[in-house]
């Protein structure tokens, strides 16, 4: 049985039945071979570019790596040096993606951040994401009836794995509740029934989270 942290690492764009089979030995061997090949190509490209090109190419390099994280659904070993060399830039880049992508792509953008903070570079990145996380969640976690379960698993995974400080997660809860209340008031004044239905989703998510014993501590004041 998967833990909440494992589930929260699942790609939100794919059915769970077709997630990459990490338990299959052939798949593991293929992944290891692919990682070694990508590491070789990455190092070869960097050496060919020369030291003078390092600064100019750094942003392109880490943006490419973020795209690879999304495609591969994991942070591979060969990515770690570049991620650590560009911690601030990568953090800001991922935050901008969360802010700027269309609503239907928000879960995947959050998923990229989650893969980073749950990887070996997580201790480098979590303190950088944490100060902005509550406001970012309130504005860009578009919790609807179709995304509610996934976001609940994401937050529960952070809580159980102690990815972020408890206060950060409590602040996320508070910000989400305030955002939900503001939506209810705004949409209530406009009488939009369809939008009003969606505005209840954060409240339903909070209620669902509150009922989960495994994260009771997260929701206690």
């Amino acid at each position: 049985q998967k833990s909440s942290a494992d589930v929260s690492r699942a790609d939100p764009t794919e059915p769970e039945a077709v997630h990459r089979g990490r338990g299959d030995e052939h798949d593991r061997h293929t992944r290891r071979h692919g990682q070694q090949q990508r590491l070789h190509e990455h190092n070869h490209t960097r050496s060919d570019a020369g030291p003078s090109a390092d600064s100019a190419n750094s942003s392109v390099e880490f943006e490419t790596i973020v795209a690879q994280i999304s495609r591969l659904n994991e942070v591979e070993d060969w990515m770690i040096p570049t991620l650590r060399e560009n911690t601030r830039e990568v953090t800001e880049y991922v935050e901008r993606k969360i802010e700027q992508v269309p609503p239907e792509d928000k879960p995947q953008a959050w998923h990229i951040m989650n893969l980073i903070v749950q990887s070996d570079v997580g201790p480098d990145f979590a303190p950088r994401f944490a100060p902005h996380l509550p406001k970012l969640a309130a504005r860009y976690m578009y919790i609807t009836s179709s995304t509610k379960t996934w976001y609940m698993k994401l937050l529960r995974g952070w809580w159980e794995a102690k990815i972020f400080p408890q206060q950060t997660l409590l602040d996320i809860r508070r910000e989400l509740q305030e955002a939900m209340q503001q939506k209810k008031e705004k949409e209530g004044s406009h009488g939009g029934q369809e939008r009003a239905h969606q505005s209840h989703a954060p409240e339903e998510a909070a209620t669902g989270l509150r009922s989960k014993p495994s994260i009771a501590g997260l929701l206690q004041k």
Side-chain angles (χ1 to χ4, degrees):
Q1 185 176 0
K2 293 182 178 181
S3 69
S4 297
D6 291 334
V7 172
S8 72
R9 293 169 69 89
D11 186 340
T13 65
E14 300 179 6
E16 188 170 356
V18 297
H19 286 161
R20 294 162 181 79
R22 302 186 185 279
D24 184 270
E25 182 61 31
H26 175 72
D27 286 350
R28 287 201 298 270
H29 175 76
T30 302
R31 263 200 326 279
R32 282 197 299 270
H33 178 73
Q35 287 187 28
Q36 292 168 358
Q37 183 176 1
R38 285 187 288 275
L39 175 60
H40 174 75
E41 293 171 354
H42 177 70
N43 289 337
H44 183 68
T45 300
R46 294 190 74 175
S47 62
D48 284 350
S52 62
D54 285 350
S55 177
N57 291 338
S58 62
S59 64
V60 174
E61 188 174 15
F62 73 69
E63 289 173 14
T64 301
I65 285 178
V66 170
Q68 288 270 48
I69 292 171
S70 178
R71 184 175 69 84
L72 298 169
N73 200 35
E74 64 180 329
V75 174
E76 295 187 341
D77 291 345
W78 66 270
M79 303 174 180
I80 290 175
T82 300
L83 291 172
R84 284 187 168 143
E85 289 168 10
N86 299 277
T87 307
R88 178 179 60 83
E89 294 84 356
V90 172
T91 300
E92 293 174 354
Y93 178 69
V94 172
E95 289 176 342
R96 285 198 303 274
K97 283 187 70 71
I98 291 171
E99 294 170 357
Q100 295 173 3
V101 297
E104 62 271 18
D105 295 331
K106 298 291 187 193
Q108 180 62 20
W110 281 103
H111 180 56
I112 293 170
M113 192 200 80
N114 183 54
L115 289 172
I116 292 172
V117 299
Q118 295 215 45
S119 73
D120 288 344
V121 295
D124 300 285
F125 279 88
R128 288 193 173 272
F129 281 116
H132 309 132
L133 200 54
K135 294 290 185 186
L136 202 67
R139 294 173 183 170
Y140 301 108
M141 276 188 177
Y142 288 176
I143 302 177
T144 66
S145 56
S146 61
T147 63
K148 178 184 66 176
T149 299
W150 187 82
Y151 279 117
M152 286 172 59
K153 290 176 179 177
L154 178 72
L155 294 170
R156 190 160 65 248
W158 290 348
W159 174 259
E160 293 179 351
K162 295 180 170 58
I163 300 296
F164 297 105
Q166 178 177 325
Q167 188 57 51
T168 298
L169 299 176
L170 292 171
D171 289 343
I172 291 174
R173 181 194 66 171
R174 188 193 70 250
E175 292 285 351
L176 284 172
Q177 289 174 336
E178 290 177 0
M180 175 270 298
Q181 184 60 36
Q182 291 172 4
K183 282 186 178 182
K184 286 175 66 176
E185 292 171 356
K186 178 180 177 181
E187 291 168 354
S189 65
H190 286 82
Q193 292 184 352
E194 180 178 352
R195 293 193 304 273
H197 172 72
Q198 291 185 348
S199 75
H200 288 302
E203 183 177 22
E204 292 167 1
T207 301
L209 286 169
R210 213 172 283 123
S211 67
K212 302 285 185 180
S214 61
I215 54 163
L218 170 61
L219 298 151
Q220 291 173 356
K221 293 185 177 180

